[in-house]
Each structure stands twice: as C-alpha cells, then as structure tokens.
Amino acid sequence: MLTLTCPCCGVSGEETEFAPGGEAHLKRFGPGSSDEDFRDYLFQRQNPRGVHFERWRHAFGCGKWFHAARCTQTLEVFGTYPGQTSTPTPDIIAAIKARRPEWEPQA
Amino acid sequence: MGRYSAFAIAKQAFSHHKGWDRAWPSPEPKPEYDVVIVGAGGHGLATAYYLAKNHGVRKVAVIEKGWLGGGNTGRNTTIIRSNYLQPSSMAIFEKARSLYEDLSQEFNYNIMFSPRGVLMLAQTEHELRAWKRTYHANRIAGIESEMVTPRQIKEIVPIINLSGPRYPVLGGLWQPRGGTARHDAVAWGYARGAAEMGVDIIQQCEVTGVDRDAEGVTGVQTTKGAIRTKKLCIVVAGNSGVMAERAGFRLPVESVALQALVSEPIKPAMDCVVMANTVHGYMSQSDKGEMVIGGGADGFNNYTQRGSFHHIEETLRALVETFPMISRLKMLRQWGGVVDMTGDRSPIIGTTPVPGVFINCGWGTGGFKAIPGSGWATAEMVAKGTPGDLAAPFSLDRFTEGRMIDESVAAAVAH
C-alpha cells in the first residue's frame, strides 16, 4: 500500500486518497515548437525502473497538486515536495541519495 | 523432438513414460546470429517462429532474462477477440484470432483454443452507441460481430443480473468466434515450433547492454557473454523502456501493474467471456472451474507485478453487482503483470532510431490476443527490414506525425 504525505496540508494518507498525475518536471512545448519537441512533451516518458519524480494531487483532501519522489520497483516513497518548482529540490535529492547512494539525477 | 499423438503415448507407456524428449532444447548461445530477439514471451517466440517458418530465417536466438512465458504471457486472463474499432487494429487482431484457430494442429501441441464467444456489455447509452459503431466497423472489415439485446444476453449468460440498479444492461456486442486459450501452452507451442526449425531459445540470460557502431547495432552483451548480430528485436513488454534506454533511444510508453485474480473452482456456470467495461470487471470460467477475473491497472508507474489492493475490492464490487451468485465466492490467487501503455493505447511495431534495432511493445493491457498476428507482422518487418502492411500503421513515428490509432476510447479500460 502506497502511503503519501501531502506537503501542503501535512496529512498522510494511502493512495486512494490521492490521484496520480504522471511524470513531473516535463518541459512544456506548444505552438511554434518542433514536431519532436511537441512529441516529447506529449508522449515520451522516462519510465525508469527505479527513482521516479511524479505529480500527485491530494484529491480527497486539500485538493492541491504536489510532487513526489518514489521508487517504481519497491514503491518506496523518498519524500514529497511542493508543486511550485520545476526541478527536484536539493532536499529531495539528498533524501534519495541517503537511500540510493549509487543513484545520479538525470540532466 | 518426437511428434505427440495417441500412438506416441501408447508407445511411451511401455517404458513408464520415462522416454519422452524435452519439449524444446536448452542450448548455450552461439557467438553470432542473424537475428537476436530479446524476450521469450508470446510475442517474441511468435516472431522467431514466423521468421523461421515464413521467411526462412533460422539463425535466430530468443534471449530471456527469466523463464519462457513467465511475464505477461503467463499473467493475463487469456481473452481472445478482434472486435476493435480502428481498421489497422482490426486487421492485426483479426489476423491473430484467425491464426489462433489452427495453432494446435500447426504446433502438434494443444493450446486449448476455445472459441466460446466474447460478450461486451453496454451499461450506459453512450456505451451502447459506441458498441453499435464498433459493430458496423467490424461488419465492414469482415469480422463476425453482433449486437445482442438484454434478452439474448440473459440466454447466453443466465447468471447475469440485467437490472443492476445503477448500471442496467442495455445491450451488448457479441463476438461468437472470440474466446480463450491456454496462455502458457501458446508460449510453449511457439517455443517448440520455433526450436524445431532451429531457433535457439536461451533462458536465464539477461541482456545487459547493446553494442553499436556508427552504422547501427553490432551485438548484445548478456550474462552468458557477448552475442554478435546485425538485427536486434526488442519484445520485452513492461521492460521496454529499460531495454530501449540500453539501446540508446526513448519510447512513448509508461509501465504500470495490471492485475488479475481467480476464484476457487466451482461447477460450470458461464460458458463465454463477459466484459463489463463501465463498471470495470471481466470474467470467464476456466476449464478447472475457477472464475478468471481481470482487475484494474494502477494509475502510477510501477514495476511491481503485484498491483494496488484497492483494485481487488473495486473489481469484485462491480462483478458481484453484475453476477450476484458469485457474492460468496472466495478468491484463490491474485497477481499482477507489468504492462507498457502508450498514449493512444495501441501497440508499437516498428524500426527505431538505432539502425538494425526493431521494437514490438506497447500492447498495454491487451497483448495476449494479438500474439500470432503480432509475431507474423514483426517477423515480416525484421526479415525485410521495413514494416509490411500489418505493422506499418503501428510505427514509432506516428507519435511525431500525430497519426494516432485511438483505441483508448474504443476499448475503454478493459482492452
């Protein structure tokens, strides 16, 4: 059972209280961008077997969007952090490194 | 490998059945092959089989990390149907369904194909309209398909509850020539058939890296040493993203766990497959008497082969409403498979940015029914270097061109 803590209201809940929102920190491309960039934004995903940054919404709570870092293989949650950032925060990187010393953030 | 027959059984009985050959050999990898296929699931083995059978390419290795058919081929609910909406989907799924009909004879191995009929319920006005559209599309494509009334449904499936308070059954789409097959036997039959024609099936061997030079792929690194090849075909379902990264490109797929469960065995109660997509549950009865139930897919990426527990409750709640008699049935086993989902819920069969590397993935929640057609189309592509008519619409560049094959609306969640 996946348990997440909402960084907005501080409530911890299991996954049915939250709605998954897919990969986090996608760079948005729209009108005027190249076909490849637009495809990458819409469809290409990291889909790692391991550390994954993703968006969640506290759907049956405060309703706010936030970010989470999670292992897709073990479902271990390294931590959650606010939605108002376009890159993983230094705190969450440190939290992942503490559990996965060999892991390196992707550029 | 000897042929299986009543005569062979009688002959082996004299030696207390100790003289049977292995169903297929277990060779060590050779240093070089014409084609290396990664992944010995149904799709990979079918590709090898049709490469040898249809195209005479016999220096083929199928490399498998675990054991043969141990991934999604052995984890699905064994449903076979071809009543899709889009022409390119109908073509490949109907090719697969029609190939399934003769596979047992072709392999000399019983895959237990049972064309018992697949019934897809319409439980909202929208769903009824959608099935009518699919029905007409199927008829135009020459796929036998019928719209059935609630009364006919009750005759086909007496245990169904038509008047469910929230979602009454308004009609259904009935494919009488759809059905089920024994999923392991499909993998084993293809393995046996391919091995007979000289294909090497190498289990317990993980591909750890892909070698390439400026002109394309040159080989693979595996836990059993390096293997040289000019053609590499990646058929690894849920792990496609991981393998693609090793080969040096990215895919528009996301892996999630899809689960299934079976009940304790009961007497024969239902002799067809029923899919209730609105409430989300689908069920058939196996030859052993277990009710085989398809559950939900997780909404978030994961590789757990387990799935979230709450889906079990949601699925069973829906099915108890549809089939009240199963309310006291105990569930026996539950498991998950890692499925690779694409944006339009249609598969990818095509060349990749790396010359010599081919991919077959993205079957999502509906790959088992496509195994023969997918293998047929992929083998043609690998042998000729470019996709044929069956595979061409499913190319990787459809995501750049915006040429989607939208089955996500047509097939809803129960693909």
Side-chain angles (χ1 to χ4, degrees):
Chain A
M1 186 66 73
L2 197 60
T3 308
L4 295 167
T5 304
C6 175
C8 299
C9 63
V11 169
S12 286
E14 54 93 27
E15 60 182 271
T16 55
E17 195 172 324
F18 299 89
E23 188 177 319
H25 311 310
L26 295 175
K27 188 160 167 32
R28 184 182 287 259
F29 289 92
S33 59
S34 74
D35 287 354
E36 283 72 24
D37 284 342
F38 194 48
R39 171 203 62 198
D40 289 358
Y41 164 58
L42 285 178
F43 300 112
Q44 301 285 64
R45 294 293 177 262
Q46 297 288 346
N47 198 25
R49 193 185 175 106
V51 177
H52 190 231
F53 295 100
E54 55 198 12
R55 303 187 331 135
W56 285 81
R57 195 171 81 88
H58 195 181
F60 297 99
C62 67
K64 294 285 194 290
W65 282 95
F66 62 93
H67 288 125
R70 186 177 59 88
C71 175
T72 57
Q73 197 161 11
T74 62
L75 300 193
E76 178 178 357
V77 178
F78 301 108
T80 54
Y81 53 105
Q84 293 78 12
T85 169
S86 56
T87 51
T89 58
D91 287 352
I92 198 76
I93 301 266
I96 299 166
K97 284 267 191 194
R99 299 285 301 162
R100 298 275 194 283
E102 75 289 358
W103 175 81
E104 283 299 325
Q106 288 192 325
Chain B
M1 289 178 286
R3 275 185 69 78
Y4 295 133
S5 65
F7 175 71
I9 293 172
K11 190 179 147 204
Q12 293 292 339
F14 286 110
S15 54
H16 302 280
H17 292 288
K18 286 178 180 165
W20 290 105
D21 291 333
R22 294 177 67 124
W24 56 85
S26 182
E28 285 300 307
K30 298 189 188 88
E32 185 168 3
Y33 289 94
D34 291 343
V35 178
V36 168
I37 296 167
V38 187
H43 293 262
L45 291 165
T47 302
Y49 177 82
Y50 291 117
L51 266 174
K53 182 165 178 271
N54 296 355
H55 305 281
V57 183
R58 296 185 177 209
K59 275 188 71 183
V60 177
V62 185
I63 301 177
E64 168 60 46
K65 174 172 74 170
W67 66 94
L68 191 155
N72 297 345
T73 304
R75 292 166 184 274
N76 58 76
T77 50
T78 78
I79 298 168
I80 295 165
R81 62 181 182 89
S82 60
N83 51 357
Y84 279 71
L85 178 63
Q86 308 293 344
S88 34
S89 315
M90 283 191 280
I92 197 162
F93 284 104
E94 177 61 12
K95 175 75 182 169
R97 197 206 54 77
S98 60
L99 285 169
Y100 264 123
E101 292 193 335
D102 299 327
L103 277 188
S104 293
Q105 286 74 19
E106 192 177 326
F107 291 154
N108 175 232
Y109 196 91
N110 190 3
I111 64 155
M112 296 164 72
F113 176 59
S114 162
R116 58 182 65 185
V118 176
L119 179 64
M120 299 166 79
L121 302 180
Q123 291 173 287
T124 63
E125 286 293 340
H126 304 90
E127 204 175 17
L128 194 62
R129 278 202 292 271
W131 288 157
K132 278 183 185 162
R133 186 182 174 206
T134 305
Y135 157 73
H136 288 301
N138 290 164
R139 300 290 286 193
I140 290 167
I143 295 172
E144 193 181 351
S145 184
E146 283 172 46
M147 284 302 290
V148 285
T149 62
R151 198 169 155 185
Q152 286 171 297
I153 290 173
K154 190 73 181 171
E155 277 167 24
I156 298 168
V157 197
I159 64 170
I160 202 166
N161 171 29
L162 294 176
S163 60
R166 178 70 181 86
Y167 292 110
V169 176
L170 304 175
L173 183 65
W174 170 241
Q175 187 175 24
R177 293 169 80 85
T180 61
R182 172 94 172 95
H183 49 6
D184 295 322
V186 172
W188 296 336
Y190 272 117
R192 197 175 140 77
E196 212 158 21
M197 291 184 283
V199 171
D200 281 358
I201 298 162
I202 300 151
Q203 302 182 63
Q204 305 283 316
C205 176
E206 183 176 359
V207 172
T208 52
V210 176
D211 300 329
R212 48 188 286 201
D213 60 16
E215 282 167 24
V217 67
T218 57
V220 288
Q221 296 293 327
T222 75
T223 49
K224 290 188 177 176
I227 300 171
R228 291 192 305 279
T229 185
K230 291 282 181 204
K231 284 181 176 177
L232 176 69
C233 187
I234 299 172
V235 198
V236 293
N239 283 306
S240 295
V242 178
M243 267 308 299
E245 196 191 337
R246 281 174 197 165
F249 60 95
R250 280 173 68 194
L251 286 173
V253 298
E254 289 187 280
S255 298
V256 300
L258 172 73
Q259 54 185 302
L261 52 159
V262 295
S263 73
E264 57 188 334
I266 55 172
K267 285 186 177 177
M270 196 172 89
D271 61 356
C272 67
V273 181
V274 176
M275 312 182 76
N277 292 359
T278 294
V279 295
H280 193 221
Y282 45 104
M283 189 164 89
S284 63
Q285 190 167 20
S286 75
D287 293 345
K288 282 184 285 184
E290 300 159 336
M291 301 313 264
V292 182
I293 293 167
D298 288 341
F300 51 88
N301 292 32
N302 73 84
Y303 288 83
T304 57
Q305 293 195 325
R306 189 175 64 221
S308 293
F309 296 119
H310 62 93
H311 290 305
I312 301 173
E313 186 185 342
E314 288 158 10
T315 302
L316 292 180
R317 194 167 56 206
L319 287 174
V320 165
E321 188 133 309
T322 316
F323 305 100
M325 67 159 269
I326 68 163
S327 65
R328 293 190 186 178
L329 208 55
K330 291 187 180 72
M331 291 299 136
L332 206 61
R333 299 191 305 278
Q334 175 270 357
W335 66 91
V338 180
V339 299
D340 41 339
M341 311 289 279
T342 57
D344 58 0
R345 300 293 182 266
S346 284
I348 298 167
I349 306 174
T351 53
T352 69
V354 184
V357 177
F358 302 89
I359 187 114
N360 173 334
C361 71
W363 291 94
T365 60
F368 174 74
K369 65 174 81 71
I371 284 172
S374 156
W376 187 284
T378 310
E380 186 183 10
M381 170 180 71
V382 173
K384 294 179 180 167
T386 52
D389 289 345
L390 267 185
F394 298 100
S395 66
L396 196 50
D397 56 16
R398 75 172 189 268
F399 294 96
T400 318
E401 295 167 3
R403 187 172 41 77
M404 302 303 157
I405 303 165
D406 187 1
E407 290 293 351
S408 55
V409 179
V413 53
H415 198 284

